[in-house]
Amino acid sequence: MHRAPFFTPAPDWVGDTIPFVHEDTLYVYYLHHRREAIGEGTSWHLLTTTDLVTWTDHGEVLPHGGPEDEDLNCYTGSVVTDDDGLHHLFSTAQNPARTAPDGRPLQLVAHATSTDLLHWDKQPAHTFGAPEGWDPADFRDPFVHRTAPGEPWQMLLAARRSTGPERRRGIVGRLTSADLQRWEPAAPLWDPRRFLTQECPEVFRIGEWWYLVYSEFTDAFVTRYRMSRSPGGPWHAPRHDSLDARSFYAAKSATWKGRRIFAGWIATREGRRDDGPWQWAGTLSLLEAVQQADGTLDLRLPPEVLAADAAPVEAGLAPTTIAAPTHYESAVGSHELPSRATIRARLRLDPEGRAGGLLLRTDAEGERGYVLRLEPRAGRMVLDRWPRTVTGTEQWQISGDVPHLIELERPADLSSPEHCLDLVLEEDLLVAVLDEKVALSTRIYDHPVGRLGVFAEDATLSLTDLHVTTA
């Protein structure tokens, strides 16, 4: 058994996730990524949970094919159950040896069936490729659903038109079927003329609103969502349309006990250092989407996850007020945090102030470590660290013009003075959620230990309540 919200199949990694719910059990299929064996094939593995806290690892459930097979790589897809109770798995089949006319690997849709969700029988006769007018090398991530019982099945795909401006051909392609075996092309669900492609698309409904979730890497490397009153669109972007930051990618979701649970992966960084380039795949993590009155989605850590760490930790940091309207000031706890910790901090921050927030894994002076900074004037939460990248021996070569990790900036409404920060720390993983609305997930490598603190900069900040627990 493994503890949520995180799971890493050491020594390997979690790639794209495929959540599915059956009889109140959350199934999370995932692409099992072996960095040391790239090119030898990708298979689907499976985790299940009944409480969002403990994982059962079922290992490989959809083996990849051999070097000559079309499904040497079994990439992202979806799982559905038909009216007779038979389960259907649709995946992306790819083999670098099988190429499109331009030399890139073909991407195909493959089909498998199961009676127990654990053992899958491949149906190679049902494999098919992109229809005419679509790029045969960008035809992936099939998501199968119905907008209502008895309606035809729809398959959404990360697809591209075969002609047009290179960076604007991406569509959420759509096919329809009556029997989950024969598929006919239909008009794209969404053709924004904005992205190279929209990966891992999914559609779901909560109340009167429909949501289209997708991941993109053209404007930013991020998972986004759009909203509509109709399952066919038009798809409008809310003001804040991202689910999380750069490092939580390819997130997809399922309804578990009436709640929308997202699963995605927190990317690793090359060399296990904070300045290392982001890598594909990482550690599984969960977030819960909560619908607001206007239909927009807030993202939070599931309450079960926050309650899982029950042993109190003494951080040596009492409630305090820092009045620093014209300068910077901090207060640091007297004890180091354990490698795994759950933190709930309640803060009061001047809405007209420049900044305030938490110091994480910091030293006794509050000068080395991570900074989770709330910036009311800029309307954002960011993750910063000190020292930043030192680029030379001169005094000024300290990256003072890099205000934070740019890809870890999250828009946030800080117009109210009262705020709550929920954090889960485990070794090099961090998930921080502001006001049960705004999520920021990432890796933190360079400072593996340290204390907890608070700070204010050209602002007044009060730490009004603090609870720290561990396993």
Side-chain angles (χ1 to χ4, degrees):
M1 304 291 282
H2 304 264
R3 299 219 27 212
F6 305 129
F7 175 84
T8 307
D12 301 316
W13 303 100
V14 172
D16 295 354
T17 60
I18 302 96
F20 179 76
V21 171
H22 180 65
E23 296 180 349
D24 286 342
T25 296
L26 176 62
Y27 291 68
V28 179
Y29 299 91
Y30 69 91
L31 308 189
H32 187 249
H33 183 57
R34 299 179 296 157
R35 289 203 182 119
E36 301 305 318
I38 292 176
E40 296 182 13
T42 299
S43 61
W44 283 30
H45 284 221
L46 172 63
L47 304 168
T48 58
T49 182
T50 58
D51 59 8
L52 303 187
V53 174
T54 52
W55 292 113
T56 298
D57 182 4
H58 300 273
E60 184 180 76
V61 293
L62 182 71
H64 63 79
E68 306 302 320
D69 296 326
E70 61 193 10
D71 64 344
L72 173 63
N73 294 306
C74 297
Y75 287 149
T76 312
S78 59
V79 174
V80 295
T81 304
D82 68 21
D83 295 331
D84 297 322
L86 184 65
H87 307 296
H88 298 258
L89 182 157
F90 295 89
S91 62
T92 305
Q94 188 245 44
N95 186 328
R98 300 188 177 207
T99 59
D102 64 1
R104 293 182 298 146
L106 283 171
Q107 293 183 341
L108 309 170
V109 171
H111 182 203
T113 56
S114 173
T115 58
D116 63 4
L117 294 167
L118 299 175
H119 306 88
W120 292 92
D121 297 318
K122 295 181 180 181
Q123 307 293 330
H126 299 163
T127 300
F128 65 94
E132 185 176 354
W134 296 20
D135 188 334
D138 279 300
F139 186 69
R140 62 183 178 272
D141 307 342
F143 174 77
V144 175
H145 74 122
R146 285 194 292 197
T147 58
E151 291 292 314
W153 294 97
Q154 296 191 27
M155 179 184 290
L156 308 182
L157 299 112
R160 280 167 51 82
R161 296 191 183 279
S162 56
T163 59
E166 177 64 24
R167 291 177 177 261
R168 299 184 182 275
R169 295 182 195 170
I171 59 173
V172 176
R174 180 166 51 175
L175 308 173
T176 62
S177 175
D179 59 7
L180 294 171
Q181 296 181 22
R182 293 173 291 273
W183 294 90
E184 297 295 331
L189 182 70
W190 189 41
D191 185 3
R193 301 185 180 94
R194 180 178 169 189
F195 304 114
L196 280 163
T197 190
Q198 295 82 247
E199 296 193 296
C200 302
E202 70 168 358
V203 165
F204 59 86
R205 182 181 183 179
I206 303 178
E208 297 180 354
W209 286 100
W210 290 84
Y211 299 88
L212 168 62
V213 177
Y214 61 98
S215 294
E216 62 96 356
F217 49 80
T218 311
D219 289 349
F221 211 105
V222 71
T223 300
R224 302 187 186 275
Y225 76 97
R226 293 205 164 213
M227 305 165 54
S228 178
R229 296 287 191 178
S230 164
W235 298 101
H236 299 287
R239 180 177 180 183
H240 301 312
D241 67 345
S242 58
L243 299 186
D244 201 315
R246 159 67 176 85
S247 51
F248 185 72
Y249 193 69
K252 296 179 71 173
S253 65
T255 298
W256 179 79
K257 297 185 178 181
R259 298 156 58 187
R260 200 73 192 180
I261 305 299
F262 274 89
W265 44 269
I266 300 177
T268 53
R269 303 192 83 147
E270 190 175 306
R272 294 183 57 82
R273 55 187 177 85
D274 289 342
D275 286 319
W278 293 106
Q279 296 172 301
W280 191 89
T283 296
L284 172 70
S285 185
L286 300 179
L287 292 172
E288 180 179 355
V290 179
Q291 186 186 60
Q292 300 307 296
D294 62 357
T296 57
L297 299 177
D298 290 345
L299 276 295
R300 69 177 185 178
L301 281 159
E304 295 90 338
V305 170
L306 292 173
D309 287 347
V313 170
E314 177 54 60
L317 183 63
T320 186
T321 295
I322 300 175
T326 60
H327 61 287
Y328 175 91
E329 191 171 328
S330 65
V332 178
S334 56
H335 303 299
E336 284 193 353
L337 294 170
S339 61
R340 177 175 175 110
T342 297
I343 300 168
R344 169 160 279 195
R346 295 194 179 276
L347 307 173
R348 184 179 298 116
L349 176 62
D350 176 8
E352 301 301 320
R354 180 180 297 279
L358 297 183
L359 304 174
L360 302 174
R361 293 184 177 169
T362 192
D363 60 9
E365 290 74 35
E367 289 300 307
R368 297 181 64 87
Y370 300 100
V371 183
L372 190 63
R373 190 167 62 237
L374 309 181
E375 301 180 357
R377 297 178 190 176
R380 65 189 180 189
M381 172 175 67
V382 304
L383 185 70
D384 199 357
R385 68 265 164 83
W386 197 263
R388 297 172 183 156
T389 303
V390 176
T391 58
T393 59
E394 298 296 328
Q395 182 186 42
W396 53 270
Q397 292 175 317
I398 56 172
S399 299
D401 55 349
V402 181
H404 54 270
L405 292 163
I406 300 300
E407 66 272 36
L408 299 180
E409 175 183 319
R410 302 292 292 129
D413 180 1
L414 298 170
S415 58
S416 169
E418 304 292 336
H419 300 287
C420 178
L421 281 168
D422 290 320
L423 289 77
V424 174
L425 279 160
E426 184 172 351
E427 298 178 351
D428 58 15
L429 293 158
L430 167 66
V431 179
V433 176
L434 171 66
D435 296 332
E436 297 188 335
K437 294 176 179 293
V438 181
L440 190 161
S441 305
T442 191
R443 298 276 174 174
I444 46 175
Y445 291 111
D446 292 355
H447 303 284
V449 297
R451 307 182 187 189
L452 181 65
V454 291
F455 75 96
E457 178 183 349
D458 293 345
T460 296
L461 176 140
S462 295
L463 173 65
T464 59
D465 194 31
L466 177 67
H467 291 278
V468 183
T469 56
T470 192

